[in-house]
């Protein structure tokens, strides 16, 4: 090798070891055989640094300025071979992974081989000592997707003595209700947790929805108020009957709410809604965390009753696998009888019996209420939970995906009659008669990624003060530049394609 070549290689090696400017790496992880995206795989690009692919297999991460180039970037996903890639390979548009079958025997050494019931018993027995209770600071990204689908809206107009409350108005109200509505909220920041005490430092947040949906309901409410105020008489009361039930409401109490002071308050509230932000974002996000964490498999109030009512489930050892450097039992579960609601798969650490991953879905409706024309069903409840081992040897949440679906329907008559005993002649003044029939589905989905976790001193947790003035940025359409320079979970096609016209 010549001196010139030696100097060039030395210079090149020196350059690759130098800190670099921040750059974003983006790609899509796919199955080598089917070319379908691999959801919720882990991309690890440094010690305790990684990101999760979205439900389409897409991912991106930022290599910060001042950090050295990673030697290898490792990709792991249950059911696939763990694989290392160079930085250059990770910049390909597609990255293929080969499927790997779960080991059925033989590769792990045990002091005593356990049957599946013993594994489950030890998993439950070790929950108190395995789960982290120390104060922790977690860098997070949280996305909530809400989708509402109106299948049917029919007010079934039959009769009205108020000219303005006619069939045309009822039909226009039905048309004004959006058949499909979407709302996406994304937030990035630090989550401080000390057992069940939570604090948030929201660094950045986005709010995607269509303001026209909100304004159409506001205009409708104002129009109905005008009609109501112009046609009902003081001293009247409303007799409202739906099916076999009826209720009497004094009109004066309703009209009183339309005085100047209340109208001024309504205007202020409307002005607040029109701001390009969410009021009380920190409080709202903290509530979201509280709700999500209450659904962890070992919590007392979780819908997933796998621990509390484990005798209602059948368990089967499906085999063995690796998560990172840990060997795990792969255990399938399903209901013994109809009294249990879920099926899924557990990945339990062979050494300490900690749950490292849990996938589950409901096998039947969790609630199914129908009475007198009102229907309510909880149709979907499924998710994934993953846990990482902290430096203190305890486990804490690393990733959670949770989907919740509900159905609501009304099919019943509605009759509203205005009566007034102070008016001469007939007490009945006005009447509205409808046969309401509508059906809708509401689906909510949460995706929570924890990028890194640090154990903190209790006084650091206590001294941290939340900033409650932080607001989310309203977006009428998705803007990829908003998160440039931040490591988040990539949006799926529905979010990338979200567009709403801005209000004038």
């Amino acid at each position: 090798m010549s001196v010139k070549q030696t100097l060039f290689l030395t210079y090149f090696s020196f350059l690759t070891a130098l800190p670099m400017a921040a750059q974003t790496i983006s790609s899509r992880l796919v199955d080598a055989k089917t070319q379908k995206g691999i959801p919720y795989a882990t991309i690890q690009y440094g010690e305790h640094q990684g990101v999760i692919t979205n439900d389409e297999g897409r991912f991106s991460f930022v290599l910060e300025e001042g950090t050295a180039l990673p030697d290898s970037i490792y990709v792991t996903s249950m059911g696939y071979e763990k694989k290392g890639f160079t930085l250059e390979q990770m910049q390909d548009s597609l990255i293929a992974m080969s499927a790997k079958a779960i080991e059925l025997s033989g590769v792990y050494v045990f002091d005593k081989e356990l049957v599946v019931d013993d594994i489950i018993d030890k998993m439950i027995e070790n929950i108190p000592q395995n789960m982290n209770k120390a104060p922790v600071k977690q860098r997070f990204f949280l996305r909530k997707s809400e989708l509402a689908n109106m299948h049917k809206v029919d007010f079934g107009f039959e009769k009205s003595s108020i000219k303005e409350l006619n069939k045309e108005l009822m039909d226009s109200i039905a048309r004004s209700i959006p058949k499909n509505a979407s709302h996406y909220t994304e937030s990035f920041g630090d989550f401080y947790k000390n057992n069940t005490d939570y604090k948030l430092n929201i660094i950045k947040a986005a709010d995607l929805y269509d303001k026209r949906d909100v304004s159409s309901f506001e205009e409708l409410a104002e129009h109905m108020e005008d009609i109501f105020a112009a046609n009902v008489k003081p001293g009247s009361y409303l007799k409202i009957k739906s099916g076999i039930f009826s209720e009497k409401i004094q009109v004066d109490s309703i009209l009183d709410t339309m005085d100047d002071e209340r109208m001024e308050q309504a205007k202020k509230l409307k002005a607040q809604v029109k701001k390009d932000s969410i009021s009380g974002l920190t409080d709202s996000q903290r509530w979201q965390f509280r709700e999500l964490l209450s659904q962890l498999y070992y919590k007392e109030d979780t819908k997933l009753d796998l621990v509390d009512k484990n005798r209602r489930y059948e368990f089967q050892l499906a085999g063995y696998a690796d998560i990172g450097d840990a060997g795990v039992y792969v255990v399938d579960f399903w209901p013994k009888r109809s009294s249990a609601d879920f099926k899924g798969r557990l990945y339990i650490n062979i050494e300490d019996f900690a749950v490292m991953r849990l996938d589950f879905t409901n096998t039947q409706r969790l609630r199914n209420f129908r009475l007198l024309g009102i229907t309510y069903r909880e149709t979907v409840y499924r998710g994934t939970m993953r846990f990482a081992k902290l430096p203190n040897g305890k486990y804490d949440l690393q990733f959670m995906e949770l989907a919740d679906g509900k159905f609501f329907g009304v099919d019943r008559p509605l009759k509203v009659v205005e009566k007034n005993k102070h008016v001469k002649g007939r007490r009945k003044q006005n009447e509205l008669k409808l046969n309401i029939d509508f059906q809708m589905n509401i689906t909510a989905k949460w995706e929570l990624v924890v990028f890194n976790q640090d154990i903190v001193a209790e006084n650091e947790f206590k001294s941290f003060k939340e900033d409650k003035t932080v607001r989310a940025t309203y977006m009428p359409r998705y803007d990829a530049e908003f998160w440039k320079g931040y490591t988040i979970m990539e949006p799926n096609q529905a979010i990338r394609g979200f567009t709403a016209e801005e209000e004038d």
Side-chain angles (χ1 to χ4, degrees), residues 216-409:
S216 64
F217 283 115
E218 290 174 346
E219 292 167 3
L220 175 61
E222 291 174 356
H223 184 46
M224 293 296 288
E225 284 177 3
D226 292 340
I227 293 174
F228 188 75
N231 286 277
V232 301
K233 298 175 177 62
S236 293
Y237 64 90
L238 300 180
K239 192 71 177 279
I240 301 175
K241 186 173 183 180
S242 181
I244 63 174
F245 297 102
S246 63
E247 186 175 0
K248 180 178 176 181
I249 299 176
Q250 197 68 29
V251 171
D252 289 348
S253 64
I254 300 173
L255 293 174
D256 286 345
T257 65
M258 298 182 184
D259 58 25
D260 292 341
E261 182 180 352
R262 294 294 180 92
M263 291 300 289
E264 186 63 29
Q265 291 176 356
K267 288 179 181 178
K268 289 181 179 179
L269 180 60
K270 183 177 179 181
Q272 179 65 32
V273 170
K274 285 193 172 184
K275 286 185 178 180
D276 293 343
S277 62
I278 303 174
S279 178
L281 177 66
T282 299
D283 289 339
S284 172
Q285 292 288 283
R286 192 187 325 100
W287 180 84
Q288 295 283 350
F289 270 94
R290 191 172 298 279
E291 288 296 299
L292 279 175
L293 297 185
S294 72
Q295 295 305 309
L296 295 178
Y297 73 95
Y298 57 90
K299 295 287 188 176
E300 186 175 343
D301 297 329
T302 180
K303 290 182 182 180
L304 182 63
D305 55 1
L306 190 63
V307 170
D308 186 43
K309 298 177 181 177
N310 64 89
R311 299 306 176 195
R312 296 184 179 182
Y313 289 92
E314 295 278 2
F315 296 94
Q316 181 181 58
L317 182 61
Y320 309 89
D322 297 312
I323 295 182
D325 297 325
V328 294
Y329 297 107
V330 181
V331 178
D332 291 331
F333 63 90
W334 62 90
K336 281 183 179 177
R337 298 173 294 276
S338 59
S339 57
D341 299 319
F342 299 95
K343 67 177 180 179
R345 175 167 278 185
L346 287 156
Y347 300 85
I348 301 172
N349 189 298
I350 289 173
E351 292 186 359
D352 56 23
F353 298 96
V355 172
M356 300 190 70
R357 174 171 169 166
L358 165 62
D359 303 323
F360 66 93
T361 186
N362 59 306
T363 57
Q364 59 186 349
R365 294 169 183 162
L366 301 187
R367 292 192 66 186
N368 191 12
F369 171 85
R370 182 163 187 169
L371 180 67
L372 301 172
I374 296 176
T375 304
Y376 173 77
R377 300 175 186 144
E378 293 183 5
T379 56
V380 175
Y381 194 76
R382 59 172 176 76
T384 294
M385 304 173 190
R386 297 186 194 174
F387 301 87
K389 198 169 189 177
L390 305 185
N392 64 358
K394 308 297 183 180
Y395 290 82
D396 216 316
L397 186 67
Q398 183 183 47
F399 171 74
M400 186 174 185
E401 182 257 345
L402 183 66
D404 183 291
K406 297 179 174 64
F407 171 86
F408 183 67

Side-chain angles (χ1 to χ4, degrees), residues 413-428:
L414 176 66
K415 185 177 181 181
V416 182
V417 179
E418 177 197 354
K419 293 187 177 183
N420 194 313
K421 61 183 178 183
H422 303 296
V423 177
K424 292 182 180 181
R426 294 178 59 198
R427 292 177 60 194
K428 184 192 294 186

